[in-house]
Amino acid sequence: MSVQASAGKAGRPAVQAPAQAQGANAGHPRRWTILGVMVISLLIVVLDNTVLNVALRTIADPVHGLGASQSQLEWSINSYTLVFAGLLFTWGVLGDRVGRRRMLIAGMITFGLASLASAYAQTPDQLIGARALMGIGGAAVLPATLSIISNVFDPRERAKAIGVWAGAVGLGVAIGPVLGGALLEKFWWGSVFLINVPIVVIGVVAILALVPESRDPKPGAIDFVGVVLSIVGLIGLVYGIVEGGDHGFGKLSAWGSVVGGIAVLAAFVWWERRIQFPSLDVKLFRNPRFSASVGAVGLVFFAAMGTLFFMAFYLQLVRGYSPLQSGLLYIPFAAAQLIFAPRSATYVRKYGPKAVCATGLAIAGLAIGGYMLLGASTPIWVLGVLFFFQGLGMANVMPPATESIMASLPREKAGVGSAIGNTVRQVAGALGIAILGSLLSAIYRSKISDHLGAIPAGSRSEAGNSVSSTYAAAEHVTPAAAKAITDAGNSAFITAMHWASFGAAIAAVIGVVIVLLWLPSKSALHAATPEVQAEPTPIETLGEQFELAEAGR
């Protein structure tokens, strides 16, 4: 059934009141306790990346960390993200088939063991591999928690339950950097991963004791070919971008990987259009409203993940803040999302999704463009203000974009729309880190190369790879030379950061243009009668879940 046919003559799905509007509560007797268990399970997945951002500088340190290069740091994040995004659909379908509780337990155990391996990794490559295993576990946890909540709650309580579940994302964003900074103040870098292990143990015990098993009586088929093609294509594309940033795009290895990745992704699209149960229903992108909404999600996370990646080095190296102090400085970003995301639905009802989403993207873009004004001695409150407005902008992008995703699809595809939004967010974040990180690396190397004369000839090449390497090399020269080298490194990094910020801001501007051209002015879901709105439909339930989860992230 096509999207257009399902949507009816009005061009959008009919919104109906649920059948069960009265009568006894059909939810599980322990549903609220089960919800608490699901929140704990989700929290470890969310905490992981926010904690890691604060630890990047320490992991790059050759004495106290692993001596990871800029590209290895990018891969330590992207190996998790790409595997997570590639398996999200498949693990959800597999959980419907074999049992959601069983899949959740398997995901938690995998995540815990991989966290243990990450904590005790001896080389950057070992960390990258362990992080990929964490992605396998995380991709099993997220869809299973949501499916279990939908199964144990009565439809009348489900929206509230999913709102609590989604709020855990915002909580993770808020406490992750602070927790990571506090751990790094007292313990070694591996503690940011080791903290996951006791949470996993508690979560698994609680799941076994409290959570009932459930399955979908009519699960879809598993698209193994699509999963393999998507992961191989994305890794090839990202590898080529990172390789080009490290060693220049004049090398065949960089362009060959990029072209090969694009070719595999084209084969993925071809395959997905021809099978009955695709991992990614690419036919949905024929709908301009759907494509514009997903594009807004992708572009805002491309910009956000790329900028937050290099901000860790600006704060801890150029500005000299400790990991804990750096973590505390991220609070305005998370706080703005926690404050404004719940209110954005009101703005959508009043002004429509186009106006709210375009305004949010514009605010986020202006804040990111403001990073181009930062220097080595800019008052730190300026950065706090920019963080706050970037978070405010993102909080007003996700809800209207999500509402349009859900309103553009028939009810039976609401879950597919939510999953696509999650996947695009992950992939866009990975590309943001890869592309903006590569731009940062290339410009940094070109600017620092003329200032490394005081470093022994054998160490100059490595010292010029990244600002972390430059600082590490400066420890082995005279104090006067060290100051000259680190000052040059700071100057080169700030210049590179300005260009990367410009690239991120351009992505946000492109998002504004897309939204203004194709996103609708009026909200389809909020056009329903008050009586219908009093009882959330399945579309609204998923829409609320997705908008809150993504805005908090």
Side-chain angles (χ1 to χ4, degrees):
M1 180 181 295
S2 69
V3 173
Q4 288 80 6
S6 299
K9 296 181 180 180
R12 63 175 187 259
V15 180
Q16 300 174 352
Q20 184 185 9
Q22 296 178 345
N25 193 310
H28 193 281
R30 296 193 302 269
R31 58 193 178 278
W32 293 105
T33 306
I34 293 171
L35 175 62
V37 177
M38 296 301 100
V39 166
I40 291 173
S41 303
L42 178 67
L43 198 58
I44 64 165
V45 178
V46 177
L47 277 172
D48 180 64
N49 272 336
T50 56
V51 169
L52 179 59
N53 276 336
V54 179
L56 290 174
R57 161 69 185 97
T58 307
I59 294 172
D61 191 303
V63 177
H64 303 291
L66 298 177
S69 67
Q70 187 86 3
S71 64
Q72 288 170 329
L73 292 174
E74 293 173 28
W75 276 112
S76 71
I77 296 177
N78 284 343
S79 61
Y80 173 88
T81 301
L82 293 175
V83 172
F84 184 99
L87 293 176
L88 191 63
F89 286 95
T90 299
W91 269 196
V93 173
L94 189 61
D96 291 341
R97 183 182 296 273
V98 305
R100 291 145 183 165
R101 185 180 81 153
R102 188 173 298 166
M103 180 58 66
L104 178 58
I105 292 172
M108 292 281 284
I109 292 174
T110 302
F111 194 92
L113 292 174
S115 297
L116 194 63
S118 297
Y120 291 101
Q122 300 300 305
T123 66
D125 289 341
Q126 289 179 9
L127 177 61
I128 292 168
R131 290 276 297 157
L133 290 177
M134 291 176 71
I136 294 175
V141 170
L142 190 146
T145 56
L146 182 58
S147 295
I148 289 170
I149 289 171
S150 298
N151 185 68
V152 300
F153 275 89
D154 185 289
R156 293 168 294 180
E157 293 181 322
R158 197 173 295 154
K160 182 186 295 184
I162 292 175
V164 174
W165 173 89
V169 179
L171 180 64
V173 170
I175 69 174
V178 180
L179 175 62
L183 288 170
L184 292 171
E185 289 282 313
K186 300 293 183 181
F187 306 103
W188 95 114
W189 65 267
S191 61
V192 301
F193 298 109
L194 200 61
I195 192 65
N196 292 333
V197 177
I199 301 176
V200 166
V201 172
I202 294 170
V204 169
V205 171
I207 292 166
L208 289 170
L210 299 169
V211 178
E213 185 60 280
S214 63
R215 294 178 178 84
D216 187 340
K218 296 180 180 179
I222 301 173
D223 176 23
F224 288 110
V225 174
V227 171
V228 172
L229 288 174
S230 66
I231 293 178
V232 171
L234 286 170
I235 289 177
L237 176 61
V238 172
Y239 176 82
I241 293 169
V242 174
E243 180 75 4
D246 269 355
H247 305 293
F249 283 96
K251 291 192 174 183
L252 179 62
S253 59
W255 281 112
S257 181
V258 169
V259 173
I262 292 173
V264 173
L265 291 175
F268 167 75
V269 172
W270 177 86
W271 173 259
E272 297 300 286
R273 293 181 62 185
R274 284 159 175 78
I275 62 173
Q276 184 178 3
F277 298 103
S279 291
L280 177 65
D281 190 351
V282 295
K283 295 178 182 177
L284 296 176
F285 288 92
R286 294 174 181 171
N287 185 326
R289 179 180 191 169
F290 178 85
S291 297
S293 304
V294 171
V297 171
L299 287 166
V300 76
F301 273 93
F302 174 95
M305 293 301 293
T307 53
L308 292 178
F309 174 77
F310 60 71
M311 273 300 160
F313 298 96
Y314 172 75
L315 289 172
Q316 295 185 39
L317 287 175
V318 177
R319 302 307 299 265
Y321 288 104
S322 71
L324 179 57
Q325 291 170 327
S326 299
L328 292 171
L329 286 170
Y330 283 107
I331 288 179
F333 176 80
Q337 295 185 63
L338 289 173
I339 293 169
F340 289 99
R343 292 168 171 78
S344 61
T346 302
Y347 304 146
V348 172
R349 292 188 187 97
K350 187 173 182 179
Y351 302 108
K354 175 183 287 190
V356 176
C357 191
T359 301
L361 277 163
I363 292 173
L366 287 172
I368 291 169
Y371 297 148
M372 298 173 64
L373 304 175
L374 296 176
S377 58
T378 304
I380 201 61
W381 63 262
V382 174
L383 178 60
V385 171
L386 293 174
F387 271 162
F388 181 84
F389 278 99
Q390 185 182 354
L392 186 157
M394 290 184 66
N396 286 287
V397 171
M398 303 314 303
T402 300
E403 186 270 347
S404 290
I405 289 174
M406 296 307 182
S408 64
L409 301 177
R411 257 192 295 192
E412 64 268 20
K413 291 190 177 291
V416 174
S418 179
I420 288 175
N422 269 300
T423 302
V424 167
R425 174 176 58 80
Q426 295 285 344
V427 171
L431 290 175
I433 292 170
I435 293 174
L436 297 179
S438 294
L439 176 64
L440 184 85
S441 296
I443 295 174
Y444 180 82
R445 284 200 313 275
S446 69
K447 296 294 182 182
I448 195 65
S449 58
D450 295 334
H451 300 277
L452 301 176
I455 296 176
S459 304
R460 287 176 193 169
S461 176
E462 182 179 351
N465 283 336
S466 67
V467 66
S468 296
S469 301
T470 301
Y471 265 74
E475 295 177 0
H476 303 288
V477 297
T478 64
K483 185 178 187 310
I485 291 168
T486 54
D487 286 347
N490 290 344
S491 176
F493 182 84
I494 289 171
T495 300
M497 183 181 76
H498 288 170
W499 279 103
S501 300
F502 177 74
I506 291 297
V509 171
I510 293 172
V512 172
V513 173
I514 290 173
V515 165
L516 290 176
L517 287 175
W518 290 295
L519 212 62
S521 298
K522 295 183 179 181
S523 169
L525 292 180
H526 295 111
T529 64
E531 290 78 13
V532 174
Q533 289 299 312
E535 294 292 343
T537 66
I539 291 180
E540 292 172 301
T541 299
L542 282 167
E544 181 177 355
Q545 165 259 311
F546 186 72
E547 71 183 36
L548 287 172
E550 298 300 341
R553 183 84 168 186

